[in-house]
Amino acid sequence: MRAKLLIGRHARLPARLLLLAILLGSGPAGASSQPPRRFEDPLCHVVEWRTPPERIVSLSPSLTEILFAIGCDTTQVVGATRFCNFPPEARDVPRVGGIVDPSLEAVLLRKPDLVLVTRGNPLEFIESLVRLGIPVYGVETRGRLARILATIAEVGAVTGRETHARRLIERLQATLQDVRQRTATLAPERRPRVFFGELEGAHWTAGPGSYVHGLIEAAGGENIGSVAPSAWSPLSLETIIERDPEVYWGTFGEEGEAAARERVLSTLRNAAAWSQTSLGRRPRLFLAHADVLQRPGPRVIELLPELARYLHPELWSRDGQ
Amino acid sequence: MRSDTARKLWIPALGILLLVSALLSLGMGSAEVGLGDAFRVIGEQLSGGGDAGQSDPHTTIVLNIRLPRTLLAILVGALLAMSGAVMQAFFRNVMAGPYLVGVSSGAALGAVLAMLFGWGFHLGAFSTVPLSAFVFALAVVALVYALNRRGGKLQTEGLLLSGIAIAAAISSVVALLMLMSDRSLHQVLFWLLGSLASARWDHVEMLLPYAVVGGAVTFWLARDLDLLLWGDVTGASLGVHIDRTRTALLAASSLMTAGAVAFSGVIGFVGLMVPHMARFLVGVPHRRLLPAAALSGGLLLLWADIFARTVWAPTELPLGAITAIVGAPFLVYLCTRRRRSTL
């Protein structure tokens, strides 16, 4: 296994790749006409198959969304976490536990030929799966907007659904490009200052390196959290106030959008610090479902036109769309 | 030994130091609002020129962010320190304090329950979060008292052990609650480490009654605290109504801890360290010790918070982590001086 991994790491040059293909193809396993396809994840897990996986278990709601978005259905996705509720069909997939507490037995009972994991799933759990000989592939889902497209491409490749994935990526890229083209020429003073995150508590916010930051910038806004030291971190209230936010971008969960809006407005009105900001004087709120924002997947990018239209309705009214 | 007058002078000295620190604190933070701006804003307010409708961010930052935060830091520090001073006398143990005895954990459990299960409504001016914190703090302190009482006498050797056991049990319950509720985990976690990042004027207003009632009761019983140090029998022979006094002191120290925890999370070691520093400065008598502890507690927590909000600006460090970095070595120091551990 280790020797294979070393070859895999150095096989970036086409010539070596060819050599590797010949070596693998000439082995006893190479009886069939085609060499097996081989994938290696950032954790050095190797997945090999000749026919695409047919029983996939996903240990992350964002990966489940991506699997369905590239054309898998409940016959291929045979296991998911109890948080996987989108698309609606995902609710019918047998549950194998949570994200941080998946059940080894439940996963095994699904007889998977591929388990997709990501950051947040316990490493020991992943290693147990590997030791039991179950093909595991880990995807880094967190990162910038481009990471979402890369994740879709990776999931598409390892599940043998590249064509579907490519089509989805092209569609999402077109969405990104359309919005970026409209907002590209906006002067800095026409970019509203957006605060995303908590109005209370430690004021956790999305910093540079997060896809939320990418969405705000692409939508023609200025992210107040761009001064934060990491992708998700507490930001001092006085820094937020000093930068004078104009738009608040928040999330709502089970409470629903109306209740969340009411809660946000009451905080903006009542907290002395907020009521003095541009946002407090003239609240502009953009609220999105927490599930969408917590799961780096197609829906995050599909949210971009909505956000951009909210920030810059004039850019859309001109061409009558 | 310093003279009594020299010791008495420490109290006004600490008061002046605290006042100066509080003024300096208004000029420190992640936003570029310095001391000059802070004084200008304060000056405008005092001269009545500050227009409340104006939205000068400097004014907002100084008056609505830094000022309440400074006051809250002082109040929380003072409450934890007084609570610690009471517990050290009550349990006749130098290592007692709201954190190590487990009272802070109890208060945290009450507060987390109130936050997670939406008991967070307001009863008039009183938020249910500190009330729930108070109930649980009182329950823990009563439990600790019961666990350490044998044959009608308070045995204090096992105090820290029972505190550790209680804190461990409670933190596992809190962890389970957080897992099950599946809501804003990082938010509760940050709060559990202690933070004043969300300090607001209404927090100061809500905490003030806890400080006034708790402080008044303990100061009223300062002489009894001195006598309790000699033990139950001596105390009783000198006219202390042991049970009534004990109940009042336990309630007061729980009240002070619960108030502090409800608005700032669990900030450890302040209640342990500060009474020792104060005792070093003004001596054992509680009439002097309590105000000195309150002032030094405010001073310590104020500077810890200034550190927390400036050192890695614009993000913030959890305040409890900073006090623990200073406090844990202090605990080790106390342990190594065990032989001289009587007050």
Side-chain angles (χ1 to χ4, degrees), chain A residues 249-263:
Chain A
W249 181 5
T251 57
F252 61 90
E254 288 160 17
E255 54 182 342
E257 189 170 355
R261 185 169 293 272
E262 211 35 61
R263 175 171 50 80

Side-chain angles (χ1 to χ4, degrees), chain A residues 186-193 246:
Chain A
L186 285 172
E189 65 272 14
R190 280 188 61 204
R191 293 173 182 263
R193 296 177 296 277
E246 297 164 286

Side-chain angles (χ1 to χ4, degrees), chain A residues 244-246 268-269 274-283:
Chain A
D244 192 29
E246 297 164 286
L268 289 178
R269 266 197 302 271
W274 286 106
S275 62
Q276 307 280 307
T277 59
S278 297
L279 177 61
R281 286 196 306 275
R282 183 171 164 269

